[in-house]
């Protein structure tokens, strides 16, 4: 019976894909569609995330009864508000990702591009199941738009030519690229076994076509196949640090995604800092006040006594100045447990911050997640790495790189992702001629470096 069913939490969903393929527009459209269905409950705004409740999904998916069960057993879907694989990298958890499911956005007029492949590699390495949102179908030649309609209804109304053009991009571009990457994929309406085939859902973030199908497939897939993972435990919270921020009047706070359990005011929390694990006490838990627009200036926050998974919450506490984005966060129930967790967390950083090859590049990044993503990308390019760490580029880094440059000029460099180059480092680099490559998009950073290396060879 219903009462014997374990309670499920909201699946945590991230949006990834190449720049300009429509990630932000898609999230905006999902939010505005949910808000428009407000008699059913609208959306709930969290820190760094939005929740679309189950009743809204059920209402929007009414015309798609065959695709999802009428009654959802998940309480809704939690969407991480900021798209992109750099941020996704921070949702780390031992043995995988805090994200339960991903939407890989692909522009149907462009097909797979650089960051689509990067995203796919990350999803694969973190074992995160995903579907593909084939976006911008309003730009398919001959397509007639039916705003906000489910795709399956809009599709039936299209001309034979428009249908053919759609099939051509879905199969000729997207399904083909996925199969080259080792994934079998198909249009979601034709899939028999969703555990073996990646679903492709055609959408338009502009007209809203396909949004009901997207939500229905997300809800249906996650509640059917991720039940175990989504079982909610009443115990102490587990989470992941998305961002570390300085807020006037509050000091340094962390924005965290809680994927299990409960966190309360006064709880002891353990997380990683740049100089080792931090054990501190929750001073307050902050959530956006209901009905406030996250993007409007002067968002009001309210302090709440407790938050349960899945949730995005801002945590104020002392001692968070060098908290590390990408770190795990745990609530400890005793001082001994806090110490135990701290030791485990120390290992989490050690795995990444390493002394690697004798001769290799030096890597600096702003978060644990981006450091890991960058190291993975370099591994794929067979670029040896001498050392990797979180933090700004220091004079020491430059001295280390200039030593390497003596053995191999092409490797005596620093790759800096979204961090500052300290003035002394800059001076030392100018003096010794060490190249510092700096960017906040991984593939741009790698392009800069590989192009320079090619020129050096000539
Ligand atoms: P992001 O970089 O992946 O976040 O992409 P954006 O959401 O910023 O979208 C990039 C551009 O594509 C913007 O000019 C959007 O207006 C446009 N765009 C996004 N989705 C659609 C769509 O479904 N149809 C059309 N025609 N344009 C879109
Ligand atoms: Mg964007």
């Amino acid at each position: 019976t219903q009462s014997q069913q374990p309670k499920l939490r909201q699946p945590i969903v991230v949006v990834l894909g190449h720049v300009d393929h429509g990630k932000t527009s898609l999230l905006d459209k999902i939010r505005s569609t949910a808000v428009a269905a407000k008699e059913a409950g609208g959306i709930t705004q969290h820190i760094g995330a939005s929740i679309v409740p189950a009743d809204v999904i059920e209402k929007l998916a009414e015309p798609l009864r065959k695709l999802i069960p009428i009654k959802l057993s998940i309480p809704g879907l939690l969407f991480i508000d900021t798209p992109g694989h750099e941020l996704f990298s921070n949702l780390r958890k031992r043995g995988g990702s805090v994200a339960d499911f991903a939407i890989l956005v692909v522009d149907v007029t462009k097909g797979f591009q650089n960051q689509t492949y990067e995203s796919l590699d990350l999803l694969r390495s973190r074992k995160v199941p995903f579907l593909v949102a084939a976006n911008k179908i309003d730009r398919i030649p001959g397509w007639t738009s039916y705003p906000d309609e489910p795709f399956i209804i809009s599709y039936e109304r299209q001309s034979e030519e428009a249908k053919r053009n759609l099939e051509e991009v879905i199969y000729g571009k997207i399904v083909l690229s996925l199969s080259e990457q080792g994934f079998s994929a198909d249009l979601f309406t034709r899939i028999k076994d969703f555990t073996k085939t990646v679903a492709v859902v055609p959408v338009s973030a502009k007209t809203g076509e396909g949004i009901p199908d997207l939500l229905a497939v997300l809800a249906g897939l996650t509640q059917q196949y991720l039940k175990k993972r989504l079982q909610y435990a009443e115990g102490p919270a587990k989470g992941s640090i998305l961002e570390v921020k300085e807020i006037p009047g509050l000091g340094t706070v962390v924005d965290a995604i809680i994927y299990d359990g409960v966190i309360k005011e006064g709880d002891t929390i353990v997380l990683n800092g740049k100089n080792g694990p931090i054990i501190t006490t929750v001073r307050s838990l902050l959530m956006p006040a209901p009905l406030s627009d996250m993007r409007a200036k002067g968002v009001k926050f309210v302090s709440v006594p407790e938050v349960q998974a899945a949730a995005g919450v801002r945590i104020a506490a002392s001692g968070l100045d060098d908290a590390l984005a990408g770190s795990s966060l745990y609530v400890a129930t005793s001082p001994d447990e806090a110490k135990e967790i701290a030791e485990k967390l120390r290992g989490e950083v050690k795995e990444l911050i390493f002394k690697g090859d004798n001769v290799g590049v030096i890597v600096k990044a702003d978060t644990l997640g981006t450091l890991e993503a960058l190291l993975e990308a370099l591994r794929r390019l067979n670029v040896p790495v001498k050392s990797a760490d979180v933090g700004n580029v220091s004079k020491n880094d430059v001295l280390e790189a200039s030593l390497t440059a003596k053995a191999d000029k092409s490797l005596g460099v620093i790759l800096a992702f979204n961090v500052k180059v300290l003035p002394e480092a800059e001076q030392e680099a100018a003096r010794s001629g060490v190249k510092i490559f700096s960017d906040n998009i991984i593939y741009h950073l790698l392009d800069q470096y590989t192009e320079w290396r090619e020129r050096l060879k000539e």
Side-chain angles (χ1 to χ4, degrees):
T1 66
Q2 196 69 25
S3 63
Q4 284 164 330
Q5 298 282 335
K7 191 177 156 196
L8 302 182
R9 63 167 173 82
Q10 300 87 349
I12 299 168
V13 181
V14 292
V15 175
L16 308 171
H18 193 79
V19 63
D20 284 345
H21 282 208
K23 301 179 295 296
T24 304
S25 309
L26 186 66
L27 276 164
D28 283 348
K29 197 65 184 180
I30 289 170
R31 274 191 291 250
S32 65
T33 306
V35 168
K38 63 174 169 288
E39 64 272 34
I43 61 165
T44 315
Q45 201 64 65
H46 283 217
I47 299 283
S50 314
I51 289 183
V52 180
D55 53 352
V56 172
I57 300 169
E58 282 167 1
K59 178 166 183 263
L60 292 170
E62 262 287 311
L64 301 162
R65 279 168 188 278
K66 267 188 247 139
L67 278 177
I68 58 156
I70 304 299
K71 275 254 112 348
L72 288 176
S73 51
I74 49 168
L77 293 165
L78 181 146
F79 289 92
I80 300 291
D81 280 342
T82 314
H85 59 277
E86 276 92 9
L87 194 93
F88 165 66
S89 301
N90 278 348
L91 291 165
R92 18 194 347 274
K93 167 169 126 182
R94 218 181 176 72
S97 174
V98 168
D100 300 302
F101 206 88
I103 301 174
L104 182 62
V105 178
V106 181
D107 180 338
V108 291
T109 68
K110 299 271 168 59
F112 271 49
Q113 290 187 279
N114 239 317
Q115 290 169 299
T116 323
Y117 291 109
E118 269 179 23
S119 304
L120 202 56
D121 282 343
L122 266 168
L123 293 173
R124 197 190 332 243
S125 72
R126 299 281 171 83
K127 301 185 182 70
V128 178
F130 64 98
L131 60 74
V132 170
N135 190 33
K136 310 198 187 181
I137 55 166
D138 57 286
R139 296 186 53 192
I140 302 263
W143 192 266
T144 308
S145 287
Y146 297 95
D148 301 323
E149 287 290 346
F151 166 78
I152 55 174
I153 290 173
S154 172
Y155 180 79
E156 285 312 319
R157 298 182 186 161
Q158 301 299 319
S159 66
E160 285 309 312
E161 188 214 344
K163 284 182 183 169
R164 223 176 16 252
N165 290 338
L166 176 86
E167 301 253 331
E168 222 169 271
V169 293
I170 299 291
Y171 290 97
K173 280 184 180 156
I174 293 171
V175 170
L176 183 66
S177 297
L178 281 163
S179 101
E180 283 166 2
Q181 293 296 308
F183 292 97
S184 120
D186 205 343
L187 201 57
F188 73 102
T189 50
R190 297 178 188 156
I191 296 177
K192 294 213 174 63
D193 184 349
F194 281 92
T195 60
K196 296 201 175 81
T197 312
V198 174
V200 180
V201 184
V203 297
S204 167
K206 190 176 171 191
T207 69
E209 276 162 291
I211 300 292
D213 317 63
L214 184 70
L215 291 172
V217 174
L218 280 171
L221 281 183
T222 49
Q223 87 168 26
Q224 188 168 356
Y225 299 110
L226 302 177
K227 243 190 193 113
K228 251 214 171 102
R229 201 181 145 104
L230 299 177
Q231 279 179 18
Y232 172 79
E234 286 291 341
K238 295 178 187 155
S240 178
I241 310 294
L242 262 190
E243 287 187 86
V244 180
K245 284 183 176 156
E246 234 192 276
I247 307 288
L250 276 180
T252 305
V253 300
V254 296
D255 288 353
I257 297 295
I258 305 297
Y259 63 86
D260 199 14
V262 188
I263 183 168
K264 300 190 184 86
E265 224 177 66
D267 271 350
T268 300
I269 51 169
V270 192
L271 65 156
N272 263 317
K274 285 176 188 156
N275 304 302
I278 299 167
I279 301 176
T280 182
T281 305
V282 176
R283 191 167 63 227
S284 56
L285 299 168
L286 299 162
M287 298 285 281
L291 296 176
S292 74
D293 180 353
M294 284 300 282
R295 279 152 305 163
K297 275 214 179 99
V299 183
K300 292 230 167 33
F301 292 95
V302 290
S303 160
V304 294
E306 67 167 70
V307 169
Q308 49 174 276
V313 63
R314 176 162 295 167
I315 303 171
S318 61
L320 292 177
D321 288 333
D322 16 88
L324 202 48
S327 162
S328 298
L329 170 131
Y330 295 96
V331 165
T333 51
S334 70
D336 279 348
E337 197 192 16
K339 272 186 220 142
E340 232 170 81
I341 294 170
E343 277 325 297
K344 247 190 252 161
L345 286 181
R346 212 184 282 282
E348 195 177 84
V349 185
K350 263 193 209 140
E351 273 169 26
L352 281 176
I353 298 174
F354 69 108
K355 293 277 169 190
D357 306 284
N358 278 332
V359 177
V361 301
I362 289 172
V363 180
K364 301 298 289 262
D366 60 337
T367 75
L368 278 182
T370 53
L371 186 66
E372 188 182 16
L374 199 49
L375 290 173
E376 260 167 35
L378 287 165
R379 220 172 350 242
R380 241 181 301 130
L381 292 171
N382 290 319
V383 175
V385 176
K386 186 175 185 194
S387 73
D389 203 350
V390 175
N392 294 325
V393 177
S394 68
K395 183 177 174 181
N396 251 337
D397 296 326
V398 180
L399 290 172
E400 211 178 321
S402 72
L403 279 179
T404 304
K406 287 185 183 126
D408 183 342
K409 189 156 176 18
S410 74
L411 294 174
V413 301
I414 297 168
L415 301 181
F417 181 85
N418 213 15
V419 292
K420 290 197 196 93
V421 179
L422 299 175
E424 318 88 75
E426 207 127 25
Q427 282 158 23
E428 184 57 33
R431 207 187 57 75
S432 57
V434 162
K435 280 289 277 181
I436 301 175
F437 298 93
S438 182
D439 212 299
N440 52 17
I441 294 179
I442 290 180
Y443 88 96
H444 283 165
L445 182 60
L446 297 175
D447 273 0
Q448 274 190 49
Y449 170 62
T450 47
E451 276 163 26
W452 172 82
R453 203 177 53 177
E454 285 307 307
R455 280 202 306 277
L456 197 68
K457 274 189 199 151
E458 285 163 9

